[in-house]
Amino acid sequence: MQLVADNLQITSPRIAAALRERDPEPIRVMVRWMEALGADAIDINSGPLSKNPEESMTFLVRTVQSETTLPLLLDTTNPAAMAAGLSTSRNRPVTVNGISLDPERLKQILPLVRDHEADVVCFLLNSDHTVPATVTDRLSAAVELFGRVTDAGIAPERLIIDPVVAPLIWADGKARNLELIDVIRQLPELLGFPVRTLAGLSNLTTGLTVSNEILKEKRLLESVFASMLVGAGLSMALINVGHTETMAAVKAARVLRLPGPFAWGQTGL
Amino acid sequence: MQLVADNLQITSPRIAAALRERDPEPIRVMVRWMEALGADAIDINSGPLSKNPEESMTFLVRTVQSETTLPLLLDTTNPAAMAAGLSTSRNRPVTVNGISLDPERLKQILPLVRDHEADVVCFLLNSDHTVPATVTDRLSAAVELFGRVTDAGIAPERLIIDPVVAPLIWADGKARNLELIDVIRQLPELLGFPVRTLAGLSNLTTGLTVSNEILKEKRLLESVFASMLVGAGLSMALINVGHTETMAAVKAARVLRLPGPFAWGQTGL
């Protein structure tokens, strides 16, 4: 079970300014912080990078790997930026985050995944970007994505499936999220190999945090939901490493899933 | 999802003394405390009660129900005590906790369950009291217990299955406990109705607590494991209501499983 830090985001004003000014230091500081808190991999969420996509992503990847050897996930909808990031990354494995059944995106991105021997996150979304309504629809999307990825000459073990966490404030958010437990458990048997899964936990608690009580509520629900998914077999948790309770829960859940002996006081928790 | 308090135990010196001296007050105090912390039901764990079983259990049940109307679970291996408890309990439903495939126990207890229209906890243990080694063995035990219970003229909806949490310090404790997630998910389909499940969480962290670090580790692992089981669909968590973190996690996990709308600040957490 890997902890993937989701903190390096263009929506962070500090990161946006660092990118704009080509100032590596704020990014390096964040990378050191994420690694110190226990990140096993780093997601570089650059956004669409409409200005200078190649140069911007190259700067981001170079800066991150000047500070760490952790694996990278590249999170941009811009194919030119993605290509530049994949070419620049020395940190391995590198992961394209991600694709869905959107046909144009499949056409643009799958050749890059194949040519760079990258891993690829596949979102269980309908081709119109909506979230499938049922477990069956999600599993159908997984089968279809598996077909597209392997048809493009990409090895099945490159595939990482993201069943897409819904915000709790959606009308049916809770029900959809409970389904993810079944989806995560059923995918390996359905696809016939131990396919990896990833979940972006921050989605769960999106919405304004207007009080300390709501902040506490958000952290608690996030940590409990994270435990549920790790218990179901989740391979990678995309997570804000600054969320202390969630990090503690995911690390503890990982201990419960580790093979081998157990001794109190020896878990590293 | 119900929270069943496991605190009223004969192994507690205060409770043992109260029972010996027929002093209701310490028991009432504990009942008030358990209810205030959010217990939905109370397990009366009297132990075997080799001396005055009927009178002792009658005292315990009368004392508890003088303070609360919460449903009771009666946890004793003594059939005479069980019969007395079932006859005394006005709080409904009342639950026999519990039976396994042990033939003598089935013969002694099932008629009581039927005659008192009680619910009954069925432990997924082999007939020699050992824990089944695999998911398949556990599910076979469930099917066999279901047969025994219904053959005795007890309605299926009276059944509550306890898949038996293993202590983490067992050589294969972690692996066995991960299997419970699958067992809990598969039972309703296997038995063909939404059978309830119960798990005794305190088993997980048995063993000496020699430091504050280990205490913290125990609470964290208990709360994370509880979240995993509630996520899998657990119906009843048998729990020490004094374990603040675990109670918070189980209540939050319950929120995630509630049908109906969701709003931040409205969860009661």
Side-chain angles (χ1 to χ4, degrees):
Chain A
M1 223 292 305
Q2 280 194 310
L3 282 161
V4 185
D6 78 357
N7 303 75
L8 189 60
Q9 299 198 15
I10 197 71
T11 52
S12 149
R14 256 186 312 168
I15 298 303
L19 177 62
R20 199 168 50 240
E21 293 156 23
R22 299 289 187 263
D23 174 10
E25 199 46 31
I27 296 169
R28 287 185 184 140
V29 167
M30 184 178 271
V31 168
R32 285 196 289 274
W33 173 75
M34 293 187 287
E35 194 161 3
L37 288 177
D40 303 309
I42 290 173
D43 187 70
I44 301 180
N45 187 341
S46 69
L49 292 177
S50 41
K51 265 173 53 186
N52 308 318
E54 289 99 338
E55 194 205 333
S56 298
M57 183 58 96
T58 300
F59 167 76
L60 288 169
V61 169
R62 282 210 177 121
T63 305
V64 172
Q65 67 192 7
S66 72
E67 198 59 42
T68 184
T69 58
L70 288 179
L72 305 181
L73 289 80
L74 307 179
D75 194 345
T76 177
T77 51
N78 188 316
M82 187 62 83
L86 289 168
S87 300
T88 308
S89 180
R90 295 188 313 266
N91 292 17
R92 290 280 152 169
V94 63
T95 301
V96 169
N97 186 16
I99 60 163
S100 65
L101 285 169
D102 175 345
E104 187 175 0
R105 191 143 170 85
L106 287 170
K107 209 169 106 186
Q108 291 168 333
I109 300 293
L110 286 182
L112 295 175
V113 173
R114 183 192 55 222
D115 296 348
H116 290 275
E117 299 186 323
D119 288 350
V120 59
V121 174
C122 298
F123 300 113
L124 299 190
L125 295 171
N126 299 317
S127 53
D128 62 356
H129 292 276
T130 56
V131 175
T134 65
V135 172
T136 310
D137 289 348
R138 287 182 204 263
L139 294 175
S140 304
V143 170
E144 200 171 337
L145 277 159
F146 174 77
R148 299 298 174 91
V149 166
T150 51
D151 286 353
I154 297 162
E157 57 268 26
R158 293 286 180 201
L159 193 73
I160 300 166
I161 290 185
D162 182 339
V164 187
V165 174
L168 284 174
I169 44 170
W170 281 14
D172 53 357
K174 279 182 297 179
R176 282 170 188 260
N177 287 329
L178 282 181
E179 290 179 359
L180 299 197
I181 294 171
D182 278 327
V183 171
I184 289 170
R185 293 207 77 68
Q186 291 180 34
L187 278 171
E189 197 172 335
L190 182 75
L191 297 182
F193 74 105
V195 62
R196 286 176 292 166
T197 46
L198 176 146
L201 289 166
S202 297
N203 278 4
L204 189 77
T205 60
T206 47
L208 225 52
T209 302
V210 294
S211 71
N212 275 335
E213 285 67 36
I214 291 183
L215 181 67
K216 210 181 125 201
E217 197 179 26
K218 287 190 167 186
R219 293 290 189 277
L220 179 59
L221 287 171
E222 184 178 85
S223 63
V224 162
F225 185 61
S227 303
M228 291 179 176
L229 293 190
V230 177
L234 188 73
S235 317
M236 303 166 82
L238 182 65
I239 186 173
N240 182 325
V241 296
H243 290 186
T244 314
E245 302 85 349
T246 314
M247 287 294 282
V250 173
K251 287 176 181 176
R254 174 160 66 180
V255 165
L256 292 177
R257 274 184 46 196
L258 276 181
F262 177 93
W264 293 111
Q266 307 289 316
T267 60
L269 295 175
Chain B
M1 223 292 305
Q2 282 193 307
L3 282 159
V4 184
D6 78 357
N7 302 75
L8 189 59
Q9 300 199 14
I10 197 74
T11 53
S12 149
R14 257 186 311 168
I15 298 303
L19 177 61
R20 199 168 49 240
E21 294 155 23
R22 299 289 188 262
D23 174 9
E25 199 46 32
I27 296 169
R28 287 187 184 139
V29 168
M30 184 178 270
V31 168
R32 284 197 289 273
W33 173 74
M34 293 187 288
E35 194 161 4
L37 288 176
D40 301 309
I42 291 174
D43 187 69
I44 301 181
N45 187 341
S46 68
L49 292 178
S50 41
K51 266 172 54 186
N52 308 320
E54 289 99 339
E55 195 206 332
S56 298
M57 184 57 96
T58 300
F59 167 76
L60 286 170
V61 169
R62 281 210 179 121
T63 305
V64 173
Q65 68 192 8
S66 73
E67 198 58 44
T68 184
T69 58
L70 288 179
L72 305 181
L73 289 80
L74 306 179
D75 194 345
T76 177
T77 51
N78 188 315
M82 187 62 84
L86 289 168
S87 299
T88 308
S89 179
R90 294 189 313 266
N91 292 17
R92 291 279 152 169
V94 63
T95 300
V96 169
N97 185 16
I99 59 163
S100 65
L101 286 168
D102 176 344
E104 188 175 358
R105 192 143 170 83
L106 287 171
K107 210 169 102 187
Q108 290 169 332
I109 301 293
L110 286 183
L112 295 175
V113 172
R114 182 193 55 223
D115 296 348
H116 291 275
E117 298 187 322
D119 288 351
V120 59
V121 174
C122 299
F123 301 113
L124 299 189
L125 294 171
N126 299 316
S127 53
D128 62 355
H129 292 275
T130 56
V131 176
T134 66
V135 172
T136 310
D137 290 347
R138 286 182 204 264
L139 295 175
S140 303
V143 171
E144 201 171 338
L145 277 159
F146 174 76
R148 300 298 174 91
V149 167
T150 50
D151 286 353
I154 297 160
E157 57 270 26
R158 293 286 180 199
L159 195 73
I160 300 165
I161 290 187
D162 181 340
V164 187
V165 174
L168 284 173
I169 45 170
W170 282 14
D172 52 358
K174 279 182 298 180
R176 282 171 189 261
N177 287 330
L178 282 181
E179 289 178 0
L180 299 197
I181 295 171
D182 278 326
V183 170
I184 289 170
R185 291 205 79 66
Q186 291 180 33
L187 278 172
E189 198 173 333
L190 181 75
L191 298 183
F193 73 104
V195 62
R196 286 176 292 165
T197 46
L198 176 146
L201 289 165
S202 298
N203 278 4
L204 189 78
T205 60
T206 47
L208 225 53
T209 302
V210 295
S211 70
N212 275 335
E213 284 68 34
I214 290 183
L215 181 68
K216 210 182 124 200
E217 198 179 26
K218 286 189 168 186
R219 293 290 189 277
L220 179 59
L221 288 171
E222 184 178 86
S223 63
V224 162
F225 185 60
S227 304
M228 290 178 177
L229 293 190
V230 178
L234 188 72
S235 318
M236 303 165 82
L238 181 65
I239 185 174
N240 182 325
V241 296
H243 291 186
T244 315
E245 303 85 347
T246 314
M247 287 293 283
V250 172
K251 287 176 181 176
R254 174 162 63 180
V255 164
L256 292 176
R257 274 184 45 196
L258 277 182
F262 177 93
W264 293 111
Q266 307 290 316
T267 61
L269 294 175

